[in-house]
Amino acid sequence: MAESNVAKTLILQGRSDGGTLERATAKARRAFRNSVAILLFLAAWEIAPRTGIVNVTFFPPFSEVVSAWWGLLRDGDLQDHLAASLTRSISGFLLANLIAIPLGLAIGWWKTAADYLNPFLELMRNTAALAILPVFILLLGLGETSKIAIVLYASLFPLLLNTISGVKNVDPLLVKSARSMGLSSISLFRKVIVPAALPTMFVGIRQAGASSILVLVAAEMVGATSGLGYLIQYAQFSFLIPQMYAGIITISVLGIIVNYLLLALERRLTGWRQTYGE
Amino acid sequence: MTIESKISIRHVHKAFSVKRGSKPFKAESQPVYALQDINLEVRQGEFMVIVGPSGCGKSTLLDLLAGLTKPGGGQILLDGQAISGPNLDRGIVFQQYALFPWKTALANVEFGLEAKGVGRRERRETAQRFIELVGLGGFEHRYPHELSGGMKQRIAIARSLAYDPEVLLMDEPFAALDAQTRETLQSELLRIWEATGKTIIFITHGIEEAVYLGQRVAIMTSRPGRIKRVIDIPFESRRSEEDLRSNPDFVKLRHEIWELLKDEVSRAQEQEKSKTLDAYGEGKSSAKGGARHG
Ligand SMILES: Nc1ncnc2c1ncn2[C@@H]1O[C@H](COP(=O)(O)OP(=O)(O)OP(=O)(O)O)[C@@H](O)[C@H]1O
Ligand SMILES: [Mg+2]
């Protein structure tokens, strides 16, 4: 009796061990799948210049870029430029949210307004923000204002369009159901329209987050004395090639982090949605 | 009769204006008469079923009762007072559940209570009680997409019952469910009705469902909808009867309603057809009616 119990426990343990092991391998496999392409790319980056396949002067090996990056970090240059860029992107991005979300909710709710304004907003969105950068510089000068303004412009339209379409596409049955419970227009908006539109709004928020960085970096290359865009441009002019790549990598990583953070926020706020992956 | 009526529908008309014509400038507003001179008295605590062919105006009538739209003529009285708008004294259950997907089952049931201004603590307790009433204890923290169709409809019923309306309006609530689930929910609805004593107005396409559930069944004509006949269903306590559905009286009533309905259904189908043809002729599809499912 006791023995058979022990045997059972052993079997169970064996099984659960197998489970842990399986899970661990699955995890490892996923980590491998996610990183293998990047690792191969970095390896190629390291080897190609060293073996002379590409010109070392223009394409220094990855390790040299890393040490240049480390140097910039130690001197504090990197932090300064990063802070300058982040201040501009975040201000522009937040300002765009502040303007576009209330405006989009209002326009989406008022269907006639949406029908009239949508083509115009599409036009504005498809007007590349950088194409009108000269206008911004002309009007606002080379200072911070024009940088924040260009980020604001680039973030505004995806936010606006997605908020409008989110509100417009709220299931009318949900509205009807809420109205039948005697909700006032304000509570209807707060308790039904906004939560129902949130997933679509987040598409806009993430697009805006991505473009706020892209556009800013380009703007900083044109006329600026600080920021990651300026760092890259300056490094290139001064023939500090590893430093130039260090700046580029910083921007890539920044873009990934921003996207990740917005995605995490989205999951928190719209976690009720079906996860189709599983 | 008038005095003891919970709901009186008197000479109610409703028409929609539908824009037709392919060019915006040529668009002329053409009325669609959905309801024409509807008269119906529903008693306190009664289970009233309304059947009628597709597109005859059943949902339109229910919207009017809910106060979501206003009649074009006539009046609807609730306890002798004209209905002025939506209110928590009436609850609706829709065919497509209409649960808020971002709220858990419990939070969905709490929604109406919140609108009623019930405090948080009491809200939670009441919602919990009604989730148990519909037999879903243990599922309160699931989101709608994690529930089956039958479970969703139970939650929707719990949501409408929780804020304690006097009248429950149900628009084909079981039409989207499979046969077994439907039968279970039918008998549960009867149990809940007996336990709560609510006045229920229940719309359906199913004749059998009508005879099984209703104390009276109102049969509507094809569009423009009118009440063609109201038939008494004289069974006492339906749930105790072992197999009511094969009872000869049940079969007879079912047949009687079917006889009344069948001309209306074929007329409604003719209407749909000609409407589709019209729409073709004018190069633009008309209002939603033409494409509605049956
Ligand atoms: N908002 C609207 N605008 C224009 N016409 C409408 C509107 N709502 C309903 N109708 C028309 O009124 C008629 C009645 O519609 P209703 O939805 O009440 O029918 P129903 O009896 O509920 O049909 P079903 O059984 O298919 O649900 C239909 O011909 C429909 O086209
Ligand atoms: Mg209907």
Side-chain angles (χ1 to χ4, degrees), chain B residues 16 18 32 34 53-60 172 205 223 275 287-289 292-293:
Chain B
F16 296 102
V18 178
V32 170
S54 184
C56 77
K58 302 184 294 297
S59 300
T60 306
E172 305 187 36
H205 270 115
R223 191 165 54 81
K275 205 151 107 188
K288 59 171 187 169
R292 298 280 302 268
H293 64 277

Side-chain angles (χ1 to χ4, degrees), chain A residues 186-207:
Chain A
I186 294 169
S187 346
L188 181 70
F189 207 78
R190 209 162 52 82
K191 292 183 180 165
V192 179
I193 306 290
V194 172
L198 207 57
T200 319
M201 279 161 65
F202 253 105
V203 174
I205 291 175
R206 279 198 285 127
Q207 282 176 8

Side-chain angles (χ1 to χ4, degrees), chain A residues 224-278:
Chain A
T225 50
S226 64
L228 292 172
Y230 166 76
L231 173 70
I232 294 167
Q233 191 76 349
Y234 173 81
Q236 191 232 330
F237 276 142
S238 321
F239 223 71
L240 300 165
I241 301 303
Q243 278 76 2
M244 180 186 84
Y245 284 108
I248 294 172
I249 287 175
T250 311
I251 288 166
S252 310
V253 173
L254 184 65
I256 289 173
I257 291 173
V258 166
N259 191 49
Y260 177 83
L261 288 178
L262 290 177
L263 214 63
L265 183 68
E266 180 176 354
R267 288 228 180 87
R268 255 188 89 86
L269 290 178
T270 65
W272 50 271
R273 281 199 306 165
Q274 209 153 351
T275 38
Y276 291 99
E278 280 154 36

